[in-house]
Amino acid sequence: MLPELSPHVSDTAPARGALRPARSWLHSDAPSLSLNGPWRFRLSPTATAAEDFAADDFADHGWDHLPVPSHWVLESDGAYGRPIYTNIQFPFPIDPPHVPDENPTGDYRRHFDVPAGWSDAERVVLRFDGVESLFRVWVNGVEIGSASGSRLAHEFDVTSAVRPGDNVVAVRVHQWSAASYVEDQDQWWLPGIFRDVTLLARPAGGIEDVWLRTGFDNGRGRVDAEVIADASAFPVTLRIPELGVEQVWATPADVTPVDIADVEPWSAEEPRLYDATVSTAAESIALRVGFRTVEIRGDQFLVNGRRVVFHGVNRHEAHPERGRVFDEEHAREDLARMKRFNVNAVRTSHYPPHPRLLDLADELGFWVVLECDLETHGFEKGGWVGNPSDDPTWRGAYLERIERTVERDKNHPSIVIWSLGNEAGTGGNLAAMSAWVHARDAERPVHYEGDYTGEYTDIYSRMYATVTETEQIGTDGSGTPLLGCTPSQGARQRTKPFLLCEYAHAMGNGPGAFDQYEALVHQYPRLHGGFVWEWRDHGILTTTPDGTPYYAYGGDFGEVVHDGNFVMDGMLLSNDVPTPSLHEYKAVVQPVRFTFDGDTVAVTNLRHSADTSDLHFRWRVEHDGTPVESGELEVPVVTAGEAGRFAMPRIAVSPDAETWLTIDAVLAADTAWAPAGHVVATAQLDCSIRRPVPAVRPRTDWQPGSGTLSLGIAEFIDGSLARLAGRAVTGPRLELFRAPTDNDESPSDGVEGSDASIAGVSNADLWRADGLDRLTTRRVSAEHTADALRTVDKVSAANSALSVTVETNWSLEAGELELRVEVQPSSGWSTVWPRIGVRFELPDGTAAVDGATWFGLGPLESYPDSLRAARTGRFSSSVRDLSVDYARPQETGHRSELRGLTLASGESEVLRFSAIPDTHGRRPGFTLSRHTPQEIAQAQHPFERPESTTSHLIIDAAQHGLGSRACGPDVWPEFALRPESRTIRLRIAAG
Ligand code: GAL
């Protein structure tokens, strides 16, 4: 006999039973009871297990305990299944609205006491803030209802089912349901009751819902209230004590807007909030009011009459141990970190976050694009056939989702745009959602990227548009067709404000080109900036069988289909460590910019509305990276959008060292997100006197042969370096390979790839095909003079006729050891190259090289298209800290523009290198690592890198840029490294 199929899982209707209408998530003084904590739990492999567990008297003693909120796949070490990561793919057959019979189903039970004092409640409501994906609820054996919409709040009326004293609530949660087809976001699938469960006593004469819409105009504020309460609950009083507001509305008809003189506006920069209450005799609701007016005027998006530039990030709810379970402290610290890195906006990709997050956003100050819980990306594969977005059967579900989204969070001043969802194709149901929002909230615009032609949304939005395309969008009548648009549709889109809802895919080492996008925003007022994809990696903390911890990504849990490490694409590693890209971002978008001009410096304030009175300006001078003087700049306050010009400090310029002036804008006082002294913006000016580069001294008396030879601190055996300053060192050997970044590993789309790319093939594959990771050397010649050694090598790979000639010159120049390497590619190389460098090996010997001090760009790694966070200075680091622990090991650690490098072992200096610029003035970069590029490239996780005590020093004449090809444009041509001749010149001395 076939098992009885669950009637619920294939139901496209979002809810059944005693579900209450959507309303705001309010802070009320009415009694409530948290049902968070341990629940009894049982997991069944299918949706058809007996429903007897819902019975009041069911004996659940044998069941486990599971915490609520949690995801069952993250508890009990795999006993309840494992997380699954997919980006676009559905992890089940595409058979809408059906899901497989193998449908993990969690049954939850717990007892709770209804407090005696609740007997006069008019209604008892059971609220679920988030359950993935479909759930049914019983109270004391009575079925209450069911709901889906994982990241949305649902409230059930349980008044008639509850009783004084002991009660039992039972919840059945199905991992898969019809709703899974519209929740295909790029993230882990994580079933369970993962947000709070709360029992609410709703008082007679209480306030069912309240919406305080605010406006701001020229110093005046306005509160336009909507109060949902029985007429008998009136009078209702609005109080804003700080503004002296005490407005009593005797009847519902009296609720009219309140105008208030002398209010301070709310903005992301100055998030001024006023405490307010809305009360009846029975209930008081506490709100925090921010006064602001959102408006689209022409093609500009304005708040309080001023254009907004979004320096935003896409934020998922992701925690390495808790998944999407909200951790307020962690979330607050994350938001504070965003502020410290000059992030001013958040898109809640791709669903409403825990409601408390919006309280924090109001308080700390962010422009928020609040997105509905909706994505049907998996239908794209089939040409969007069967896409729920255009299927009338799903209309109700779509409308229910947007209604629950907007209603829950409508009071937040931080939310300035509503977003219908993400990557759900297009269709009538999305248009219906938009119409619903327009009718409900006329002020805040509607965003949805998938509306390419602009039929039903107010903002033109794109993801991963190239720099060139973005510029074309910014211009009028460039005539260039816009993606998916006819000329007239394109013209319509150009009448709207534009934003990049996603750009600069921050997967692994990258992205490049933040600065190019940023420059456009200040050139074309229609462009309103965008949201980096994305804020943080979603790695899940787990361990190898031998107990080594690591952050897991797709495939690490044995998933049948998965998308690998595409879920590791944040500017923050899973363990909260900011990657260099976040530092780059901070530097690129800094709200205060400096321009040096002769004896003056211009300070431009690019903020929305805040002046610079919160900042102090400090300067310092360094000679070859050593601080010599510093002071404070007297900078009068610069208002938003203005620039002030100020005299530069008089500084001491060194005759024989590089002189650099650095100006920092720092916080004058502590804020909620950073202490006084926190650096908001920085600029540097090179004040050095130009000094000549020593010429190469020609030599003529070359003798063939080499044998054993000493040149100063260098010892050679058969023409090859054996020791430097008594320490075993080998090299230099040509290194053209870097451990491919995620961008390097990404196939070209054939459209945006560089002129050296092949559609469907990654750069990394081209490099491996050319053998860059397995070069071999043939010595062509070795000659010496009394104080010099010259070798010529031909470097090439198995089965390749392409080669590189490397001429290595060692010589003593006024007693100093000089190395000059000339790299000359043969003709015929057709790809870009990852790098042109030489590698030295420094084996452990007596004491391993474990640290470096350098004068050059730092402190973090930098690449040709990601150089803005790097400043010229003197820095020190352990070898370990020179590398970033990207979730999938890849190229890391390159420090650009090297002048001098000292390698250390413990406290002692071992070797000193100084870099001589080439004839174009170009300086090399360096990488010091415990692993070769080839070793790094072999590892899929950090723990797979071999144990090593050898240090590998690579001096690069050049590196290829980073780009963001993993999802977006390739390296910009200017930063692409084509094979070319290069010279590396170093002076080397004992430490
Ligand atoms: C976008 C999508 C995001 C994410 C990103 C790639 O297409 O909206 O959710 O998948 O690509 O990481």
Side-chain angles (χ1 to χ4, degrees):
M1 202 174 83
L2 283 173
E4 193 196 335
L5 294 176
S6 165
H8 296 268
V9 290
S10 346
D11 195 345
T12 57
R16 299 258 182 254
L19 199 67
R20 302 281 305 156
R23 61 181 190 124
S24 307
W25 198 85
L26 296 168
H27 298 277
S28 161
D29 66 355
S32 69
L33 185 69
S34 169
L35 298 188
N36 291 352
W39 288 47
R40 291 283 187 178
F41 181 75
R42 157 183 90 178
L43 187 71
S44 307
T46 69
T48 55
E51 289 169 19
D52 55 351
F53 82 103
D56 200 357
D57 55 358
F58 179 85
D60 58 19
H61 311 300
W63 289 21
D64 267 3
H65 281 110
L66 191 80
V68 166
S70 75
H71 302 282
W72 68 66
V73 292
L74 295 183
E75 302 294 321
S76 301
D77 207 15
Y80 296 136
R82 297 285 194 182
I84 299 170
Y85 165 60
T86 61
N87 169 15
I88 301 170
Q89 310 184 75
F90 287 115
F92 44 78
I94 308 175
D95 179 24
H98 307 289
V99 291
D101 295 344
E102 287 156 23
N103 186 357
T105 292
D107 290 332
Y108 294 72
R109 281 173 58 91
R110 71 161 281 168
H111 287 257
F112 60 91
D113 274 339
V114 170
W118 285 30
S119 50
D120 28 308
E122 183 183 64
R123 185 178 293 126
V124 179
V125 168
L126 181 58
R127 184 176 69 209
F128 293 85
D129 284 317
V131 182
E132 183 168 326
S133 79
L134 166 73
F135 66 109
R136 291 167 69 191
V137 185
W138 293 259
V139 172
N140 299 327
V142 177
E143 180 155 7
I144 302 296
S146 65
S148 59
S150 300
R151 276 67 66 164
L152 303 170
H154 295 94
E155 290 183 333
F156 294 93
D157 189 334
V158 295
T159 320
S160 57
V162 288
R163 59 195 175 212
D166 179 53
N167 289 261
V168 176
V169 55
V171 183
R172 167 162 287 190
V173 181
H174 303 289
Q175 171 153 21
W176 310 119
S177 68
S180 307
Y181 285 98
V182 295
E183 293 180 1
D184 188 26
Q185 291 94 341
D186 175 5
Q187 60 178 349
W188 295 99
W189 298 88
L190 297 172
I193 305 178
F194 72 97
R195 284 189 190 152
D196 313 296
V197 182
T198 316
L199 196 70
L200 308 166
R202 303 294 312 134
I207 297 167
E208 179 60 15
D209 198 4
V210 58
W211 183 7
L212 298 184
R213 305 174 207 226
T214 62
F216 178 81
D217 188 18
N218 255 328
R220 296 189 68 81
R222 186 181 171 88
V223 179
D224 188 355
E226 176 189 279
V227 179
I228 311 283
D230 290 344
S232 59
F234 280 74
V236 170
T237 308
L238 165 71
R239 288 190 186 83
I240 311 177
E242 210 182 326
L243 294 172
V245 173
E246 174 147 350
Q247 180 75 42
V248 182
W249 294 305
T251 70
D254 296 335
V255 182
T256 49
V258 182
D259 280 307
I260 313 158
D262 292 333
V263 307
E264 291 172 35
W266 184 96
S267 72
E269 292 158 358
E270 293 172 303
R272 181 67 162 99
L273 293 171
Y274 294 91
D275 286 329
T277 56
V278 177
S279 321
T280 64
E283 182 177 19
S284 185
I285 308 285
L287 299 115
R288 289 184 305 177
V289 170
F291 293 93
R292 54 112 187 84
T293 294
V294 177
E295 165 192 20
I296 288 181
R297 209 184 291 159
D299 62 1
Q300 306 231 349
F301 176 83
L302 312 176
V303 174
N304 298 335
R306 298 181 68 90
R307 172 174 170 257
V308 170
V309 172
F310 296 97
H311 289 137
V313 295
N314 279 280
R315 178 189 181 276
H316 262 285
E317 303 237 89
H319 185 283
E321 287 162 277
R322 296 163 65 96
R324 281 188 284 282
V325 174
F326 188 66
D327 177 331
E328 183 161 331
E329 214 176 301
H330 189 247
R332 180 186 279 276
E333 177 46 30
D334 242 13
L335 294 185
R337 189 181 290 115
M338 288 179 195
K339 297 284 285 190
R340 294 196 291 274
F341 282 88
N342 292 334
V343 171
N344 72 2
V346 169
R347 173 180 180 229
T348 69
S349 53
H350 300 299
Y351 43 81
H354 189 283
R356 274 291 290 159
L357 190 91
L358 285 323
D359 288 340
L360 302 181
D362 290 347
E363 184 185 312
L364 292 166
F366 289 94
W367 310 116
V368 173
V369 176
L370 197 284
E371 192 149 277
C372 182
D373 189 358
L374 180 74
E375 174 158 341
T376 65
H377 207 173
F379 287 93
E380 187 178 30
K381 184 176 170 214
W384 294 107
V385 171
N387 182 20
S389 300
D390 208 25
D391 176 348
T393 329
W394 287 88
R395 190 166 190 271
Y398 275 55
L399 286 171
E400 169 98 11
R401 278 173 188 261
I402 193 69
E403 185 174 342
R404 290 201 173 276
T405 299
V406 171
E407 294 297 348
R408 195 195 74 171
D409 295 332
K410 57 187 178 289
N411 278 297
H412 292 283
S414 55
I415 298 174
V416 292
I417 294 175
W418 298 112
S419 177
L420 303 179
N422 185 61
E423 296 184 320
T426 190
N429 297 336
L430 289 155
M433 290 168 91
S434 179
W436 186 92
V437 180
H438 285 137
R440 181 69 179 124
D441 181 2
E443 185 188 17
R444 285 177 277 207
V446 173
H447 164 272
Y448 172 62
E449 181 265 348
D451 181 24
Y452 291 133
T453 61
E455 288 170 25
Y456 48 86
T457 48
D458 308 313
I459 287 170
Y460 181 32
S461 170
R462 286 282 309 280
M463 49 173 77
Y464 310 111
T466 62
V467 169
T468 315
E469 258 185 302
T470 306
E471 176 157 27
Q472 284 162 354
I473 292 166
T475 60
D476 264 309
S478 78
T480 318
L482 302 181
L483 183 83
C485 290
T486 65
S488 51
Q489 288 166 335
R492 173 167 66 195
Q493 290 294 53
R494 282 199 172 91
T495 65
K496 300 176 184 176
F498 176 75
L499 63 80
L500 284 160
C501 66
E502 295 176 26
Y503 80 113
H505 195 255
M507 186 178 184
N509 188 346
F514 277 138
D515 48 355
Q516 289 175 277
Y517 286 99
E518 175 66 9
L520 297 178
V521 166
H522 301 289
Q523 223 176 326
Y524 303 102
R526 179 180 307 141
L527 309 182
H528 288 71
F531 297 80
V532 173
W533 188 268
E534 67 178 307
W535 173 244
R536 56 161 54 246
D537 283 0
H538 302 212
I540 291 182
L541 184 60
T542 186
T543 50
T544 62
D546 73 3
T548 310
Y550 73 103
Y551 292 97
Y553 51 74
D556 288 336
F557 296 116
E559 300 105 296
V560 177
V561 293
H562 65 82
D563 287 296
N565 67 325
F566 211 60
V567 75
M568 310 296 249
D569 49 7
M571 294 195 287
L572 217 61
L573 299 178
S574 302
N575 60 356
D576 298 347
V577 172
T579 67
S581 71
L582 186 54
H583 292 268
E584 177 76 3
Y585 183 77
K586 175 187 177 184
V588 167
V589 305
Q590 57 187 25
V592 174
R593 316 253 165 117
F594 304 88
T595 327
F596 299 99
D597 183 13
D599 288 344
T600 61
V601 50
V603 177
T604 307
N605 176 359
L606 292 174
R607 290 166 164 183
H608 170 262
S609 45
D611 64 28
T612 57
S613 56
D614 60 328
L615 301 176
H616 281 170
F617 294 85
R618 292 183 185 153
W619 63 271
R620 68 176 183 279
V621 171
E622 288 159 345
H623 290 164
D624 276 355
T626 305
V628 289
E629 50 184 349
S630 61
E632 289 245 333
L633 269 185
E634 282 310 314
V635 176
V637 171
V638 184
T639 52
E642 300 299 322
R645 190 168 285 284
F646 311 98
M648 287 248 283
R650 279 199 178 285
I651 63 169
V653 175
S654 163
D656 51 12
E658 287 188 38
T659 303
W660 283 83
L661 168 69
T662 305
I663 297 186
D664 288 333
V666 304
L667 288 180
D670 293 352
T671 64
W673 44 271
H678 164 79
V679 177
V680 171
T682 296
Q684 280 196 310
L685 180 68
D686 183 0
C687 307
S688 312
I689 294 168
R690 299 282 150 228
R691 284 168 295 154
V693 170
V696 173
R697 185 155 63 95
R699 286 187 167 73
T700 49
D701 47 348
W702 293 107
Q703 306 285 321
S706 48
T708 304
L709 188 76
S710 290
L711 290 176
I713 61 162
E715 293 164 50
F716 302 87
I717 298 172
D718 292 337
S720 296
L721 179 67
R723 304 181 84 75
L724 279 175
R727 163 178 284 269
V729 181
T730 60
R733 68 154 72 195
L734 181 71
E735 186 57 86
L736 299 179
F737 190 61
R738 71 181 184 195
T741 64
D742 292 310
N743 296 315
D744 295 336
E745 286 287 7
S746 182
S748 163
D749 62 9
V751 183
E752 292 302 341
S754 87
D755 52 357
S757 66
I758 299 172
V761 181
S762 71
N763 273 332
D765 280 340
L766 296 175
W767 299 339
R768 286 184 286 249
D770 276 347
L772 299 192
D773 56 337
R774 49 183 169 81
L775 296 174
T776 57
T777 300
R778 177 170 68 80
R779 172 109 339 144
V780 176
S781 65
E783 299 159 290
H784 68 276
T785 70
D787 61 358
L789 169 70
R790 176 168 79 186
T791 59
V792 175
D793 294 325
K794 185 171 172 182
V795 179
S796 46
N799 200 34
S800 173
L802 303 170
S803 65
V804 181
T805 300
V806 180
E807 183 185 310
T808 306
N809 292 272
W810 291 95
S811 61
L812 286 178
E813 307 294 341
E816 249 192 312
L817 181 68
E818 179 170 314
L819 166 67
R820 184 167 53 85
V821 183
E822 305 281 2
V823 178
Q824 295 141 359
S826 70
S827 60
W829 292 95
S830 61
T831 72
V832 295
W833 273 354
R835 67 166 11 122
I836 301 175
V838 292
R839 194 171 98 202
F840 298 89
E841 322 295 343
L842 298 123
D844 189 358
T846 43
V849 167
D850 55 12
T853 297
W854 72 100
F855 175 45
L857 289 190
L860 302 176
E861 66 190 26
S862 57
Y863 293 84
D865 53 355
S866 181
L867 276 171
R868 297 281 292 273
R871 57 189 162 79
T872 303
R874 184 170 293 279
F875 309 97
S876 287
S877 170
S878 65
V879 172
R880 174 75 200 70
D881 290 344
L882 285 168
S883 297
V884 177
D885 262 338
Y886 293 114
R888 187 189 67 81
Q890 52 196 277
E891 162 63 29
T892 176
H894 179 257
R895 301 314 194 264
S896 313
E897 302 272 335
L898 181 67
R899 280 75 160 183
L901 167 69
T902 304
L903 302 184
S905 178
E907 294 299 296
S908 40
E909 295 183 347
V910 171
L911 284 171
R912 282 189 287 120
F913 297 78
S914 20
I916 302 175
D918 72 7
T919 49
H920 300 277
R922 296 175 297 200
R923 297 190 159 96
F926 84 95
T927 307
L928 182 66
S929 164
R930 277 289 149 81
H931 300 101
T932 64
Q934 290 76 1
E935 285 169 342
I936 297 171
Q938 290 302 312
Q940 293 305 308
H941 298 91
F943 67 82
E944 292 166 46
R945 288 174 308 206
E947 286 290 320
S948 162
T949 52
T950 296
S951 290
H952 306 271
L953 171 67
I954 302 179
I955 305 284
D956 282 322
Q959 271 247 5
H960 184 55
L962 298 172
S964 56
R965 187 154 126 179
C967 185
D970 204 349
V971 175
W972 187 252
E974 201 180 322
F975 306 116
L977 178 59
R978 299 306 298 256
E980 62 184 18
S981 295
R982 284 291 197 141
T983 303
I984 293 169
R985 218 174 141 199
L986 303 168
R987 293 276 169 96
I988 307 174

